[in-house]
């Protein structure tokens, strides 16, 4: 495993409110990492800093040894919390867009994922439910051969059966030399896929450990530790 994301002393404010306070962490390839914490704790801001979408912070972010820029964007596949696809696109036209834009996009894999999700490639985005739109977006993101997958709350609009299908898609389609960073508050549904969890609260990292260590040293599941840390 190699260090693919390195963050040192990251501070970020929105106005006078500090969202990230002295965040330092290293993420290695070949792992699926859960980014956990209550709403407004800084999860999305951290993901955006890694993705290179915000740069007005203090500290250092390195992506495969380089600061965020054109190179890092070429190896990061990012799924934002909100749908960004044009409502007038058909699903297959969204595939066309990604195929034109990303050299590492695998159209055959994308079509297979749409079939797994029972989605019609000719259906327009605007006629899809929120859950269907999320499935299309995940299909696009996971059909790239990226080194880093950033998934910001990918399960919110899905029923339990669809969540399981989506998690199986994630498990089966990321490469062993990549890292998946998945932000979620639905811990019960996703704990089984995590190698490591990072819990953020009050703008700081409160827990950063492997799932195996949490279970062995604390005698708790990730859900139980989360409830203890955040007094749920």
């Amino acid at each position: 495993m190699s260090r693919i994301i390195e963050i040192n002393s990251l501070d970020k404010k929105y106005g006078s409110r500090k969202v990230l306070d002295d965040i330092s962490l290293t993420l290695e390839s070949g792992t699926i990492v859960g980014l956990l914490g209550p709403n407004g704790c800084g999860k999305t801001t951290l993901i955006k800093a890694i993705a290179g979408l915000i740069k007005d912070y203090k500290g250092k972010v390195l992506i495969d040894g380089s600061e965020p820029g054109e190179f890092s964007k070429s190896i990061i596949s990012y799924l934002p919390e909100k749908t960004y696809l044009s409502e007038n696109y058909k699903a297959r036209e969204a595939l066309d867009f990604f195929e034109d834009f990303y050299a590492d996009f695998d159209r055959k894999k994308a079509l297979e994922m749409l079939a797994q999700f029972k989605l019609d490639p000719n259906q327009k985005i605007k006629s899809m439910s929120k859950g269907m739109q999320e499935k299309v977006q995940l299909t696009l993101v996971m059909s790239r051969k990226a080194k880093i997958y950033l998934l910001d709350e990918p399960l919110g609009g899905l029923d339990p059966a669809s969540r399981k299908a989506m998690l199986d898609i994630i498990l089966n389609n990321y490469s062993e030399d990549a890292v998946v960073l998945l932000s979620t508050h639905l811990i019960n549904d996703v704990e089984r896929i995590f190698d490591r969890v990072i819990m953020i609260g009050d703008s700081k990292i409160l827990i950063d450990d492997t799932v195996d260590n949490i279970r062995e040293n604390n005698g708790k599941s990730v859900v139980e530790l989360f409830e203890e840390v955040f007094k749920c």
Side-chain angles (χ1 to χ4, degrees), residues 11-21 56 202-203:
D11 288 329
K12 168 63 182 169
K13 289 183 177 180
Y14 289 114
S16 61
R17 185 171 70 94
K18 182 165 277 192
V19 182
L20 298 174
D21 183 8
D56 56 338
D202 297 325
S203 72

Side-chain angles (χ1 to χ4, degrees), residues 73-102:
K73 289 177 181 177
S74 73
I75 64 170
I76 291 175
S77 197
Y78 169 53
L79 176 66
E81 186 176 6
K82 295 182 180 179
T83 301
Y84 59 85
L85 297 174
S86 168
E87 290 188 341
N88 292 318
Y89 272 174
K90 295 177 181 178
R92 63 175 173 77
E93 291 173 324
L95 268 59
D96 293 341
F97 175 77
F98 262 61
E99 190 172 28
D100 288 342
F101 204 76
Y102 296 109

Side-chain angles (χ1 to χ4, degrees), residues 6 8 11 19 44-45 48 67 85 92 133 145 160 163 181 205 207 215:
E6 296 180 76
N8 292 299
D11 288 329
V19 182
T44 293
T45 299
K48 285 183 175 180
E67 293 186 357
L85 297 174
R92 63 175 173 77
Q133 291 178 12
K145 187 172 176 54
R163 287 175 198 156
L181 182 62
I205 292 178
I207 299 289
R215 290 172 179 159

Side-chain angles (χ1 to χ4, degrees), residues 76-207:
I76 291 175
S77 197
Y78 169 53
L79 176 66
E81 186 176 6
K82 295 182 180 179
T83 301
Y84 59 85
L85 297 174
S86 168
E87 290 188 341
N88 292 318
Y89 272 174
K90 295 177 181 178
R92 63 175 173 77
E93 291 173 324
L95 268 59
D96 293 341
F97 175 77
F98 262 61
E99 190 172 28
D100 288 342
F101 204 76
Y102 296 109
D104 60 2
F105 183 73
D106 186 335
R107 187 183 185 89
K108 181 181 177 184
K109 179 186 283 190
L111 288 169
E112 289 172 354
M113 287 189 204
L114 289 181
Q116 283 181 264
F117 283 136
K118 298 181 173 56
L119 294 174
D120 180 0
N122 291 308
Q123 184 175 356
K124 282 196 171 183
I125 302 295
K126 66 182 177 183
S127 69
M128 295 180 177
S129 67
K130 185 174 185 292
M132 293 168 73
Q133 291 178 12
E134 289 182 351
K135 290 174 182 176
V136 172
Q137 287 200 148
L138 184 77
T139 294
L140 295 169
V141 167
M142 297 307 299
S143 293
R144 289 185 56 200
K145 187 172 176 54
K147 287 189 175 183
I148 299 168
Y149 298 90
L150 303 176
L151 311 179
D152 193 0
E153 295 285 355
L155 309 173
L158 303 179
D159 59 73
S162 295
R163 287 175 198 156
K164 182 181 183 304
M166 191 174 275
L167 293 175
D168 289 340
I169 289 281
I170 293 169
L171 274 173
N172 295 330
N173 288 283
Y174 92 102
S175 57
E176 291 183 358
D177 62 346
V179 60
V180 176
L181 182 62
L182 190 157
S183 165
T184 185
H185 63 280
L186 299 168
I187 307 170
N188 271 315
D189 297 277
V190 295
E191 178 175 350
R192 68 180 176 89
I193 76 166
F194 291 150
D195 299 301
R196 171 180 167 193
V197 293
I198 297 167
M199 297 186 191
I200 296 182
D202 297 325
S203 72
K204 294 180 177 291
I205 292 178
L206 304 179
I207 299 289

